[in-house]
Amino acid sequence: MALYLLAMDHRDSFATQVYKIKGDPNPAETKRIVDGKNLIYQGLVDALSRGADRSKAAVLVDERYGEQVARAAKATGITLAMPIEKSDQEWFTLEYGNLGDGRWLEHVEAFDPRYVKILVRDNPSFEVRARTRQMDDLATVSSVLTSAGRDLLLELLVPPTPAEESAGYDDDLRPELTVRIIGEMQAAGVEPAIWKIEGLNTTADATQVLATARQGGRNNVQCVVLGRDAPPEDLDRWLRAAAPAGFLWASRSAAASGRTRSRPSWQGR
C-alpha cells in the first residue's frame, strides 16, 4: 500500500508567507488565495492525466480556502483529507465550534473526507497541564470520529525546547521523543489511523516509530513521512530511511514542491 499526500491545507502561513498578507485577508486577497489553491490542485489533476496512480494519490486541503478543491477531489475519487484544527495555534484548538457543541463534526460531515487531520505540537518537556489538556481533547475527538466511522490523521510535530536545541536534535533526541509521545497519546485514548511523522534519518528510527504506532494490536495503523517543506535531497533521504520500515511514503507540501521544482511526491522509486 502507498499513499502520496499533496498537503495544501496551509492557511495563515499561506497568506503571510506566499501572498505576504498582513492581518485578515480582505475579499480580494481571499480570492487570490482560493485561486492559488485551485491552481495547485490543477497540477495534481494534470499529473493524474499523465499517468500518476489515482488510487495512491491524496490531497489534504482546508475548508477556508480550499472548499472548491475539496469538493472537486471528492467528486473525482481522489482521496480527501481535511484539517479540523485552527491554524497557527500553540495547542490544539478546533477551527469550528468546540468539543461540546459538535459544530466541528458537522463541517466534517459536509465534506465527507476519507481522513480527518489534526496538527499538534508536543514535547514531554512542555508544561504538564497543557499537555494533559491537549491529550484529553485529542482523545475526545478521536473517540467521536471512531464512533462516526471516520479515520484520524494526526500530524505530530516535536519541536525542541530551548535546552534541547542542537545540531544533533533530529538524530539524537527527536526519534526517542516521538516514540515516547506516541505511546503517551495512545495511553490517553488518541487512536489515529495514520501518524504523519517528521522525517527520520535512519531506518532503525523509522522502524521503532512504526512499531510503537502499531503496538498493542494496532496492526493496521500506518505512518507517513511529513515533507516538512524540505528540499528534495532531504525528502529523498527520509523516504529511503522510511520505506524499508513500512511507512506509507510521503506527505509533500505544495509550497515546497513548487519552490524546489521537485518531482511529484507520488512518483514511485
Side-chain angles (χ1 to χ4, degrees):
M1 179 181 179
L3 182 70
Y4 306 98
L5 185 66
L6 180 62
M8 50 186 291
D9 63 322
H10 312 75
R11 284 150 282 167
D12 290 353
S13 62
F14 203 61
T16 58
Q17 296 177 22
V18 177
Y19 291 97
K20 311 303 179 185
I21 297 169
K22 297 180 180 179
D24 294 332
N26 61 37
E29 291 169 335
T30 296
K31 184 178 184 303
R32 287 182 63 205
I33 299 172
V34 170
D35 289 345
K37 297 216 171 191
N38 287 333
L39 180 61
I40 294 168
Y41 176 68
Q42 287 307 310
L44 172 59
V45 171
D46 182 62
L48 294 173
S49 72
R50 290 188 286 168
D53 190 341
R54 180 179 297 270
S55 69
K56 298 176 181 177
V59 61
L60 169 59
V61 66
D62 58 291
E63 177 180 346
R64 188 195 309 176
Y65 301 124
E67 177 179 354
Q68 296 172 11
V69 171
R71 297 198 185 283
K74 185 70 178 179
T76 56
I78 297 172
T79 297
L80 175 63
M82 296 187 75
I84 59 170
E85 84 280 353
K86 190 173 183 179
S87 182
D88 198 28
Q89 302 297 300
E90 183 177 4
W91 298 98
F92 168 55
T93 305
L94 286 165
E95 174 82 2
Y96 301 105
N98 56 61
L99 289 175
D101 65 16
R103 191 155 62 92
W104 66 272
L105 187 58
E106 293 175 0
H107 282 260
V108 171
E109 291 171 343
F111 289 89
D112 192 28
R114 176 68 179 82
Y115 298 103
V116 176
K117 171 256 180 181
I118 300 175
L119 179 149
V120 293
R121 296 171 178 84
D122 196 12
N123 185 304
S125 295
F126 286 174
E127 201 272 323
V128 173
R129 285 178 295 181
R131 290 191 73 221
T132 300
R133 182 172 60 252
Q134 176 167 265
M135 286 194 191
D136 288 345
D137 289 347
L138 291 171
T140 297
V141 171
S142 179
S143 177
V144 171
L145 291 175
T146 298
S147 297
R150 299 189 180 279
D151 287 331
L152 173 62
L153 189 162
L154 189 68
E155 180 175 337
L156 176 61
L157 305 183
V158 187
T161 64
E164 293 168 345
E165 287 184 351
S166 70
Y169 172 75
D170 283 340
D171 286 325
D172 300 334
L173 195 52
R174 180 166 59 80
E176 175 187 343
L177 295 178
T178 300
V179 166
R180 179 176 168 184
I181 293 167
I182 290 174
E184 291 175 349
M185 286 192 176
Q186 289 169 337
V190 184
E191 299 290 352
I194 298 178
W195 291 88
K196 192 176 177 187
I197 301 294
E198 295 172 282
L200 299 161
N201 288 321
T202 71
T203 297
D205 285 337
T207 298
Q208 186 177 15
V209 167
L210 183 59
T212 304
R214 289 179 171 174
Q215 68 185 350
R218 299 174 177 88
N219 300 328
N220 294 323
V221 171
Q222 304 286 353
C223 290
V224 63
V225 176
L226 170 60
R228 203 178 173 182
D229 288 350
E233 57 269 22
D234 288 345
L235 184 61
D236 281 347
R237 183 176 68 256
W238 297 334
L239 290 176
R240 293 184 189 283
F247 272 52
L248 281 181
W249 294 80
S251 169
R252 185 63 163 160
S253 164
S257 295
R259 182 174 64 250
T260 62
R261 303 181 68 84
S262 65
R263 65 177 175 271
S265 62
W266 52 83
Q267 180 174 321
R269 284 167 170 74

